[in-house]
Amino acid sequence: METLDKFDLAILEELQSDGRLTNAELAQRVGLSAAPCWRRVRALEEAGFITGYRAELNREKIGLGVLAFVRLDAQRNSGDVTRELEAAIRGIPEIVSCHYISGSGTFELQVVSRDLNHFSAFAREVLLNLPNVKDLHTSFSLGEVKSPSALPLSHLTTKSLATATRTRT
C-alpha cells in the first residue's frame, strides 16, 4: 500500500475519532460496503498506518493527578548505554511518553503519578537510578489544554490531489 485514497483517509479519520466502530458502521460512514471496508482496514493495519486500538482513560479519575514533564540528561550518548537507558524507560509504566529531544537534554519524558509526594519518591528511587542518567529537570502540568488526539490528515489529501493531478496531465 503506497498511496492512500479518499476512502483510506476517511477510514483513518473515522477510526481516530471512534476506534470502537463496527465494520458495518465504519463502512456506512465512509461510503463503502462492509467487505471492501474490512479489506481496506486490514490493509491499513498490515501496512502500518494503523498500529493499534485502545481506550483513552481519564488519568485523574483513575488517581493519577500529577503529570510531569521530565527532561533527562544522559552522561554519555553512545550506542550501548543509550540502548540500555531506552530499554529501562520502556519498562516503566509511569513513563507514558518519551522522546529524543534537540537542545539541552537527551530525552523528554511524560510521567504520571498519584501526587507530588509519590512523584518525588519515584524521581529519587527510579528516575535518578536509571542507567547513564546525569540530571533531571522537571516541570509540572498546571492544567491540560489539549490532550493527545487524532492526527491531522489534511496534508495527505492535498498531497494525494497534487499527485493525481500530475498523473492525469
Side-chain angles (χ1 to χ4, degrees):
M1 174 177 268
E2 291 180 28
T3 59
L4 301 174
D5 66 16
K6 69 177 185 172
F7 292 110
D8 297 323
L9 293 172
I11 287 168
L12 293 174
E13 285 197 16
E14 291 295 337
L15 287 176
Q16 282 192 107
S17 175
D18 184 356
R20 293 187 65 182
L21 289 172
T22 66
N23 185 59
E25 291 169 327
L26 179 60
Q28 182 181 17
R29 288 186 186 189
V30 301
L32 290 170
S33 59
C37 183
W38 181 83
R39 284 193 296 272
R40 283 175 179 265
V41 170
R42 297 290 294 160
L44 289 165
E45 292 169 347
E46 289 169 6
F49 288 99
I50 299 173
T51 58
Y53 301 87
R54 67 174 195 270
E56 290 182 31
L57 305 181
N58 180 324
R59 68 178 170 79
E60 291 173 352
K61 288 258 187 200
I62 60 169
L64 297 171
V66 169
L67 174 61
F69 300 93
V70 180
R71 189 179 72 225
L72 184 147
D73 297 326
Q75 290 177 0
R76 292 179 299 152
N77 290 323
S78 62
D80 288 342
V81 289
T82 300
R83 281 189 290 279
E84 184 182 356
L85 178 55
E86 289 172 356
I89 287 170
R90 282 188 198 99
I92 301 170
E94 292 85 355
I95 300 174
V96 296
S97 176
C98 174
H99 298 270
Y100 277 111
I101 58 171
S102 62
S104 63
T106 307
F107 295 105
E108 182 80 20
L109 312 175
Q110 285 187 14
V111 178
V112 292
S113 186
R114 290 191 285 189
D115 55 38
L116 288 175
N117 288 335
H118 281 92
F119 176 82
S120 179
F122 176 78
R124 286 189 320 272
E125 296 166 16
V126 178
L127 295 178
L128 284 172
N129 290 305
L130 287 169
N132 197 37
V133 169
K134 181 171 91 176
D135 201 6
L136 302 175
H137 305 274
T138 304
S139 299
F140 294 97
S141 172
L142 299 177
E144 202 166 82
V145 176
K146 182 177 181 182
S147 63
S149 60
L151 296 174
L153 300 175
S154 60
H155 67 287
L156 295 173
T157 306
T158 306
K159 180 180 171 184
S160 298
L161 291 176
T163 304
T165 305
R166 272 188 269 121
T167 11
R168 286 189 201 130
T169 56

